[in-house]
Amino acid sequence: MLDFLTAGGNLPFVVALLMVVMLGLIEGLGMVTGFSASGVLDEWLDPSASDAAEVAGYSTALDRFLGWLHFGKVPALILLATFLLAFGVVGLSVQMLVHGISGFTLPAWLLAPLAVVPAFGGTRLFGSFFARALPRDETQSISQEELVGRVATIVLGEATAGSAAQAKVRDRFGRQHYVLVEPDEAGASHAQGSQVLLVSRDGAVYRCIANANPALSP
């Protein structure tokens, strides 16, 4: 079994499963130390904590894909762990089948791209189940529409027409959300670090204008 797991063609799948174990250990330690991978991810996304490079805006197709994966409804780390687990299990299962029939394993460059498709499918399926199963506190749960009217700070990319940027916004309970924003006005653009007012929501993307009222803050 060890020889099988260490075969070159199995490396991406074994690494994926090890990453799932690592995420679990980190989150487990977080219950004792207060440190968690989720907190690290929030700091990484926050330009005030790191010199994040400006990246290209999200395309409409990517917006729909993230929504399809239930991104924003299910914690990103759970979706990541689910994808890695599905990718590793699918890859190793196929390799075991091929090895049992032929005595050799497929090259990683051939199988890994093929395993991505069912892995995303599994992530979507689990994300759908998890989104419905998450307990909801009626006093603190919010709808995505409730973020409209709040001030957000653009943290990644530049928001231009047809090219969304990522922004962070706090809800009425003080919890932080990461959303995709595009200008509401034709020809407008909002650079990384800008404060914008969310004025409407169009699918997974919020329309925004510059925050001209200094009394409003994120």
Side-chain angles (χ1 to χ4, degrees):
M1 177 60 72
L2 183 60
D3 290 339
F4 172 76
L5 292 177
T6 55
N10 293 334
L11 181 60
F13 313 113
V14 173
V15 169
L17 294 178
L18 289 176
M19 290 179 66
V20 175
V21 174
M22 182 182 67
L23 289 175
L25 290 175
I26 292 175
E27 288 301 293
L29 288 173
M31 298 178 64
V32 178
T33 65
F35 174 84
S36 72
S38 299
V40 172
L41 181 61
D42 286 342
E43 289 187 13
W44 179 75
L45 290 171
D46 189 343
S48 65
S50 64
D51 297 326
E54 190 169 299
V55 299
Y58 293 95
S59 67
T60 302
L62 183 54
D63 297 341
R64 290 196 295 266
F65 180 67
L66 291 175
W68 182 77
L69 286 176
H70 299 287
F71 184 79
K73 298 179 182 178
V74 177
L77 278 179
I78 291 179
L79 292 177
L80 174 60
T82 302
F83 172 79
L84 291 172
L85 179 62
F87 177 76
V89 170
V90 168
L92 289 180
S93 297
V94 173
Q95 292 287 47
M96 288 180 68
L97 179 62
V98 172
H99 187 267
I101 295 173
S102 63
F104 64 86
T105 58
L106 297 173
W109 62 264
L110 176 62
L111 182 56
L114 298 177
V116 166
V117 177
F120 274 128
T123 304
R124 151 77 178 181
L125 183 64
F126 181 80
S128 178
F129 168 79
F130 196 86
R132 291 194 299 268
L134 275 176
R136 299 187 181 277
D137 185 343
E138 293 182 1
T139 63
Q140 291 198 350
S141 63
I142 68 163
S143 72
Q144 296 298 308
E145 298 295 339
E146 288 186 55
L147 296 178
V148 173
R150 305 195 72 84
V151 175
T153 302
I154 295 179
V155 296
L156 286 175
E158 180 179 6
T160 58
S163 180
Q166 188 179 64
K168 65 177 182 179
V169 57
R170 293 190 181 277
D171 61 27
R172 57 194 171 97
F173 300 109
R175 294 176 302 188
Q176 191 162 269
H177 302 261
Y178 288 92
V179 298
L180 301 175
V181 298
E182 287 186 17
D184 188 55
E185 302 165 315
S189 64
H190 305 291
Q192 183 173 320
S194 301
Q195 291 187 4
V196 294
L197 179 66
L198 306 182
V199 295
S200 65
R201 179 170 174 257
D202 182 12
V205 179
Y206 288 83
R207 303 294 175 184
C208 65
I209 60 175
N211 178 26
N213 186 351
L216 298 176
S217 59

